[in-house]
Amino acid sequence: MAALIAENFRFLSLFFKSKDVMIFNGLVALGTVGSQELFSVVAFHCPCSPARNYIYGLAAIGVPALALFVLGVIWNHHTWNLVAECHKRGTKNFSAAANFLIFGSVMGRAAVAPITWSVISLLRGDAYVCALSEFMDPTSLNDFPSGYGADTMAKFPCDDFPKNVTGFKDEVIRRLKYESQLFGWMLIGVVAVLVFITKCLKHCCSPLSYRQEAYWDQYRSNETRLFQRTAEVHAKIMAANNVKNFFGFVYLNKEEAEEMEKFVVSCVQPRQQWDAITGVYIYRENNGIPLYSRLHKWAKRLTGNSLGPDSQETAFLAT
């Protein structure tokens, strides 16, 4: 049992895999803050009506957060790697813990923007005040006139309420904003603790040394950058050749003409090769030699999940 628990903890490498991830998360958070501020100024208008306040206030917090979460899932490259993996090979190649890591990584990255949105919304308090104003008990306010209920309380976020209760508006808004900001600070604290625990587990349970993990980060970054640049040139030259075959000539600028002369594209990669380098990658070793990506594995002409009697597969996600 202890060995199983120790092995499963190796899968906890969800956040802050590299500085690029931290920078990306920071930019996402800043962009979300700016969007929330713009939304509050331009689009948020409390209806100040019983039953409508609650729905509108919760929607103002929850619906944009949900939309940001879905967009985060869509933009995460692990999502489509996982889809490709399920379509081509099936998740049977991964243990339950590895599948949990993959889904956790996707969900964790996607949660940055919606959590930021929710925190800013709660700290501002406007949506919370709108949603909960009608549920505030008038008897909790000293010297509040009798005969007023939810209809009147729901109008406090606006200025459309009886003049004899005008003096209570600041107190009502202050109490509701206190509750909203309290929940916001609590959410920040919970997220901070979870991130701290995750980072500790990641560093303690990583099967790689600090230097090897840094090298792996550099390799992945360079491989992705070079692959994209090379694929762009390859696709451009292949398209130019096809256009030339159709029209008899192809119009190229100086840079494109130099690329055509410098690089020769005579073949197209078959689908099997694309399938081999596409999908979720789990850190592997073959006879003690690290394999840092699916492309690296393909280049070594290693196929399948069992790489040999001395091979080792460690569920450490390439982020």
Side-chain angles (χ1 to χ4, degrees):
M1 179 61 70
L4 179 61
I5 295 175
E7 183 66 22
N8 287 340
F9 270 123
R10 291 172 179 259
F11 305 121
L12 296 172
S13 174
L14 303 180
F15 297 99
F16 306 109
K17 178 68 179 168
S18 67
K19 292 182 179 179
D20 292 340
V21 175
M22 297 176 66
I23 294 174
F24 176 78
N25 288 341
L27 292 176
V28 169
L30 289 176
T32 304
V33 171
S35 301
Q36 209 282 336
E37 291 292 331
L38 181 63
F39 172 82
S40 299
V41 173
V42 177
F44 184 82
H45 300 286
C46 185
C48 294
S49 174
R52 296 179 181 177
N53 280 18
Y54 184 70
I55 297 175
Y56 184 83
L58 292 184
I61 298 175
V63 173
L66 177 61
L68 290 171
F69 179 79
V70 173
L71 290 175
V73 172
I74 293 174
W75 286 339
N76 194 315
H77 68 277
H78 278 322
T79 301
W80 308 113
N81 281 336
L82 181 61
V83 171
E85 190 72 27
C86 294
H87 177 65
K88 299 298 181 183
R89 288 172 283 269
T91 57
K92 62 181 181 298
N93 296 330
F94 299 135
S95 65
N99 287 323
F100 173 79
L101 169 63
I102 297 168
F103 282 109
S105 177
V106 172
M107 300 303 171
R109 297 281 184 83
V112 173
I115 288 177
T116 303
W117 179 278
S118 300
V119 167
I120 299 301
S121 296
L122 291 172
L123 292 180
R124 285 183 58 90
D126 295 339
Y128 186 91
V129 169
C130 178
L132 276 297
S133 58
E134 64 182 281
F135 299 104
M136 191 167 184
D137 185 8
T139 60
S140 64
L141 302 170
N142 294 330
D143 301 324
F144 193 86
S146 60
Y148 296 103
D151 292 345
T152 301
M153 303 306 296
K155 296 179 180 180
F156 270 98
C158 307
D159 293 326
D160 184 19
F161 47 80
K163 293 183 178 180
N164 60 331
V165 297
T166 301
F168 296 93
K169 178 180 179 179
D170 291 341
E171 177 66 14
V172 171
I173 301 299
R174 184 186 65 81
R175 290 190 183 184
L176 291 174
K177 283 197 173 183
Y178 155 77
E179 294 178 3
S180 178
Q181 291 177 0
L182 178 62
F183 289 133
W185 290 120
M186 290 175 63
L187 180 58
I188 291 176
V190 170
V191 172
V193 170
L194 289 177
V195 170
F196 173 74
I197 293 175
T198 301
K199 285 182 64 69
C200 290
L201 290 175
K202 179 254 181 180
H203 286 291
C204 292
C205 303
S206 172
L208 306 180
S209 67
Y210 171 78
R211 291 187 180 277
Q212 185 180 7
E213 187 175 334
Y215 178 84
W216 190 18
D217 289 336
Q218 294 175 355
Y219 173 84
R220 291 200 315 273
S221 177
N222 287 315
E223 182 188 85
T224 300
R225 176 175 54 84
L226 293 173
F227 187 91
Q228 291 175 344
R229 287 168 51 185
T230 305
E232 180 181 358
V233 174
H234 186 281
K236 184 188 301 183
I237 295 175
M238 185 174 68
N241 289 332
N242 293 335
V243 171
K244 184 177 181 180
N245 289 335
F246 184 81
F247 288 105
F249 74 96
V250 59
Y251 179 78
L252 302 171
N253 58 34
K254 182 178 179 180
E255 181 181 353
E256 291 171 337
E258 291 176 351
E259 290 177 345
M260 286 284 291
E261 295 179 359
K262 186 176 182 180
F263 305 106
V264 178
V265 175
S266 58
C267 63
V268 177
Q269 287 69 29
R271 179 177 59 82
Q272 290 78 8
Q273 290 186 8
W274 288 103
D275 291 344
I277 66 170
T278 303
V280 177
Y281 183 72
I282 302 294
Y283 177 79
R284 291 175 171 87
E285 292 181 1
N286 184 41
N287 296 321
I289 305 300
L291 299 175
Y292 290 117
S293 69
R294 284 196 175 277
L295 181 59
H296 188 188
K297 179 183 175 182
W298 175 86
K300 295 297 182 181
R301 299 299 187 267
L302 298 171
T303 59
N305 297 310
S306 178
L307 304 181
D310 298 324
S311 66
Q312 179 183 2
E313 179 177 314
T314 305
F316 196 61
L317 188 63
T319 57

